[in-house]
Amino acid sequence: METPRTRRRTDGSPSARTLLLTVLGEYVRHAGEARVWSRAVVDALAACGTGEAATRRALARLVAEGWLGTERAGRWTVLVLEPRLVALLTAWTRRLERATGETPWQGAWQQLVLHGPAQGRALVEEQLAFEGFGRLGPGVWIAADAGGVAALDALLREQGVAAHATWLVSRADDDGELVGRAWDLAAVRAAHEAFVGRFAGVRAGTDEEAFVLRTRLVHAWRGTFARDPRLPAALLPPGWPGLVSTKLFVDTWRALRGPADRHWRRLARDPRG
């Protein structure tokens, strides 16, 4: 599954393209929809501080790259999520949902051995990291969380490298030593602490503020859990901040959901009256 390229602006804030994908995932695809008025998306990103010209450039690129389609409705434009964007945003949502729960653990590691040609492997390795796999060595990846195996297996077939992949389930003599080899938990800890520092105690006074805050919350959480292998509690060091950040995300998202959805419904109403 190819991923649209995203980048951050020079001040570290999300680019128009990145925020656009977050809005499409959180308010369109998460609600089970695949169509949205382009005006709604422009106004949504404007609320988040992104100018109309930047938003329209991001939309034009996604259309040109085949992620979005367009339909005319009089003088208005409807954006249509193409099947591969629907699949991508659905996968992101499932990963986000998995990242809020405890990873089941019976002592078995999911292991992927990937060999053969380099073609198609870069995308697979990017997705392996996103799904919580850590690299033990060249072509060898492990995870405690089995939730991403089916999606990764489909991606291997899609990229034509399934014949060069071997899935194993294994056990280790020293799980702690294995964790230390596969992941930089200090960096993961820092990501969770940064998330908590940014969102602890935040409140929204209006529906629009709730919409902006929820959008930024989800975007930041996706960036946080993308670094986190979601190891089971038994394999984590004492005082792990991921437990605090996960509860903060869930509680804050739930508090913002109603007012943010109200604001989105106002943005997404039929502009033809």
Side-chain angles (χ1 to χ4, degrees):
M1 182 188 303
E2 185 185 357
T3 304
R5 292 188 179 276
T6 59
R7 59 182 180 273
R8 299 181 72 83
R9 297 190 298 214
T10 55
D11 63 358
S13 60
S15 67
R17 186 182 180 96
T18 304
L19 274 178
L20 172 58
L21 290 168
T22 297
V23 167
L24 292 175
E26 180 69 2
Y27 298 100
V28 181
R29 189 63 219 140
H30 184 63
E33 303 293 335
R35 300 164 63 85
V36 62
W37 296 100
S38 64
R39 184 75 251 173
V41 173
V42 170
D43 290 346
L45 265 67
C48 295
T50 301
E52 181 171 346
T55 299
R56 292 199 180 280
R57 284 195 298 271
L59 285 170
R61 291 190 189 104
L62 289 177
V63 170
E65 294 166 9
W67 296 99
L68 287 172
T70 60
E71 295 178 0
R72 297 296 299 178
R75 65 188 184 92
W76 304 97
T77 301
V78 177
L79 301 172
V80 182
L81 277 60
E82 297 292 354
R84 64 180 183 141
L85 184 55
V86 169
L88 174 70
L89 296 177
T90 300
W92 281 2
T93 297
R94 289 174 179 164
R95 178 71 174 98
L96 185 152
E97 291 170 346
R98 279 177 30 231
T100 61
E102 171 67 19
T103 299
W105 176 246
Q106 287 81 40
W109 293 96
Q110 308 299 314
Q111 183 174 344
L112 174 65
V113 180
L114 188 60
H115 50 86
Q119 184 176 2
R121 288 181 57 171
L123 180 60
V124 171
E125 291 185 355
E126 177 183 326
Q127 194 66 17
L128 278 162
F130 182 76
E131 292 289 356
F133 279 72
R135 187 176 180 179
L136 278 183
V140 182
W141 297 75
I142 62 164
D145 180 5
V149 170
L152 286 164
D153 197 43
L155 179 61
L156 289 165
R157 293 194 300 272
E158 180 183 308
Q159 294 298 307
V161 295
H164 305 290
T166 303
W167 286 103
L168 303 168
V169 176
S170 59
R171 293 180 180 270
D173 293 332
D174 186 341
D175 290 321
E177 188 271 339
L178 199 65
V179 168
R181 288 172 54 198
W183 293 283
D184 180 359
L185 289 190
V188 180
R189 176 185 289 274
H192 281 295
E193 290 174 343
F195 182 88
V196 173
R198 180 178 177 186
F199 291 102
V202 296
R203 298 289 185 271
T206 66
D207 289 356
E208 181 176 3
E209 289 175 0
F211 173 82
V212 173
L213 184 52
R214 177 177 159 190
T215 302
R216 295 197 179 280
L217 178 84
V218 170
H219 171 77
W221 182 244
R222 193 174 75 228
T224 301
F225 75 67
R227 299 181 178 92
D228 190 343
R230 306 307 297 184
L231 296 171
L235 301 180
L236 291 171
W240 182 246
L243 306 177
V244 176
S245 68
T246 298
K247 186 176 188 305
L248 174 63
F249 170 76
V250 172
D251 290 349
T252 306
W253 187 90
R254 287 175 175 168
L256 297 171
R257 181 179 186 179
D261 281 345
R262 282 197 300 270
H263 186 70
W264 172 252
R265 285 194 294 271
R266 287 193 288 271
L267 294 179
R269 64 181 180 270
D270 193 329
R272 298 172 297 182

